[in-house]
Amino acid sequence: MRVVICGAEGQLGSDLVEAFREGGAEVFGFDLDLDITDHALVMERIPSLNPDLLINAAADLDADGAELDPEPSLRVNFTGNQNLVLACQEAGCPLAFISSDYVFDGRKGSAYDEFDEPNPQGVYGKAKLASERYTASLLPRWFVFRTQWLFGKRGKRNFVKSILRNAREKGALRVVTDEVGTPTHTGDIARVIRDVCLCGKYGLYHATNSGSCSRFEFARQILEAAGWEEVPVEPIVYADLNLPCPRPPYSPLDNLNLRLQGFPPARHYLEPLKEYVDWLLDSGEL
Ligand SMILES: NC(=O)c1ccc[n+]([C@@H]2O[C@H](COP(=O)([O-])OP(=O)(O)OC[C@H]3O[C@@H](n4cnc5c(N)ncnc54)[C@H](OP(=O)(O)O)[C@@H]3O)[C@@H](O)[C@H]2O)c1
């Protein structure tokens, strides 16, 4: 199987490269060396690789920046994916698009499954939903994987690294209580995405670890995993931060479709969190 992965240097993309290679696939990984917003370049490079599957893990994650200046975000998160859909049409292969809990408004009051109606509140979430719909309407074979609160070895930033860096540098933290979700380890979820793609059950999936918590609770659990429980964490709310992008207040993703298709539940996020924090502290990656 020949698999092309865009965003291959990112947190999830790099673990997808590893997971597909472990599964025996021939993997071609690209990141900024193949700018997905460049239609001519995408059409020149991707179909000629004759892929059996293309995965779009490339994204512009700056949700606040997108509210202030939408076009850079839309260019990557919508137009970039549009180019990859067109490349898949040319190559006759399926696309797996990685999406987000930000397609939901977070006001349902319980976990979202794949049958819930999206209602994105910001530019980033709107671009993700538009890309989901564009992918599904133009390609006969597609996957959409919605995930959230990722932490993994590669990539420049994530919540776990930020909490530990700020704890080390500032000695005290302020973290919001009014955003609840599921922290998700990119290695765990990359293997799930691989297994779904390899079994060819096309469609929409919510794909996260299990369990859920608020950002505040997660920060405390990160500090505990590091043995830094003494660092004080002040509970605050998003309104205190004046951020441009509204966050979904409660958006854990129920992995209903994975269950329906017979996949086992992913492990609780606290297990990979402990392994990840140990790795961050031991490897000097922090
Ligand atoms: N991180 C989360 O908590 C989270 C939550 C829900 C959903 N997701 C989704 O999961 C996917 C993977 O996220 P991630 O956390 O792994 O992100 P990431 O670490 O930022 O990886 C994305 C990669 O795409 C690259 N990229 C950006 N613009 C590109 C372009 N025009 N052409 C080619 N590559 C480009 C980035 O390069 P630079 O870093 O140099 O820009 C980065 O290496 C994304 O679709 C994201 O929307 C993430």
Side-chain angles (χ1 to χ4, degrees):
M1 184 182 202
R2 294 164 68 83
V3 181
V4 173
I5 300 179
C6 294
E9 301 284 318
Q11 295 193 93
L12 181 57
S14 55
D15 279 331
L16 283 167
V17 170
E18 210 174 299
F20 274 90
R21 283 197 177 132
E22 269 170 23
E26 189 177 358
V27 179
F28 303 85
F30 299 102
D31 203 79
L32 293 180
D33 53 332
L34 175 52
D35 180 352
I36 62 167
T37 68
D38 185 335
H39 176 253
L41 187 63
V42 164
M43 296 308 281
E44 183 197 312
R45 301 278 295 280
I46 293 182
S48 65
L49 288 168
N50 207 11
D52 300 300
L53 172 69
L54 172 59
I55 303 180
N56 180 12
D60 177 343
L61 282 114
D62 182 5
D64 290 316
E67 296 305 305
L68 305 173
D69 182 9
E71 285 188 23
S73 173
L74 293 173
R75 209 166 285 128
V76 178
N77 297 322
F78 179 72
T79 316
N81 188 67
Q82 180 182 32
N83 290 334
L84 299 184
V85 167
L86 298 174
C88 285
Q89 276 191 328
E90 182 76 17
C93 74
L95 177 71
F97 172 64
I98 311 299
S99 190
S100 163
D101 60 310
Y102 274 46
V103 300
F104 295 113
D105 61 24
R107 293 197 285 260
K108 181 186 167 193
S110 58
Y112 286 95
D113 66 39
E114 294 86 346
F115 297 93
D116 286 314
E117 209 46 54
N119 182 28
Q121 297 298 293
V123 171
Y124 169 76
K126 285 177 187 166
K128 285 290 190 188
L129 181 60
S131 282
E132 289 185 4
R133 290 180 171 163
Y134 188 86
T135 302
S137 62
L138 263 83
L139 291 176
R141 294 180 296 151
W142 53 268
F143 302 94
V144 169
F145 296 97
R146 292 184 186 141
T147 191
Q148 67 182 163
W149 293 25
L150 296 180
F151 60 95
K153 288 186 178 173
R154 299 284 295 279
K156 292 177 187 142
R157 65 211 140 247
N158 64 45
F159 187 78
V160 182
K161 285 183 186 169
S162 301
I163 287 294
L164 293 176
R165 283 180 185 147
N166 283 331
R168 194 176 54 190
E169 284 155 25
K170 299 179 184 155
L173 302 166
R174 300 168 77 226
V175 183
V176 296
T177 54
D178 56 348
E179 190 187 7
V180 174
T182 300
T184 296
H185 182 252
T186 51
D188 284 7
I189 227 56
R191 286 186 287 275
V192 171
I193 290 171
R194 175 200 63 196
D195 292 346
V196 174
C197 289
L198 291 180
C199 82
K201 291 182 170 176
Y202 302 104
L204 170 63
Y205 293 88
H206 288 182
T208 61
N209 280 111
S210 58
S212 64
C213 58
S214 69
R215 291 271 184 202
F216 175 80
E217 290 165 328
F218 191 33
R220 293 250 36 114
Q221 289 161 344
I222 294 164
L223 293 171
E224 200 174 304
W228 299 355
E229 293 92 336
E230 71 285 359
V231 175
V233 188
E234 180 191 343
I236 57 168
V237 291
Y238 263 111
D240 297 328
L241 296 174
N242 265 326
L243 295 173
C245 181
R247 268 67 178 167
Y250 191 97
S251 59
L253 298 174
D254 180 8
N255 293 193
L256 172 59
N257 202 18
L258 287 174
R259 284 200 303 286
L260 294 176
Q261 306 296 336
F263 289 94
R267 56 186 177 155
H268 195 281
Y269 71 87
L270 285 173
E271 275 185 60
L273 175 65
K274 177 66 183 141
E275 295 163 10
Y276 181 65
V277 170
D278 287 348
W279 174 81
L280 272 180
L281 297 177
D282 291 348
S283 64
E285 281 288 321
L286 199 56

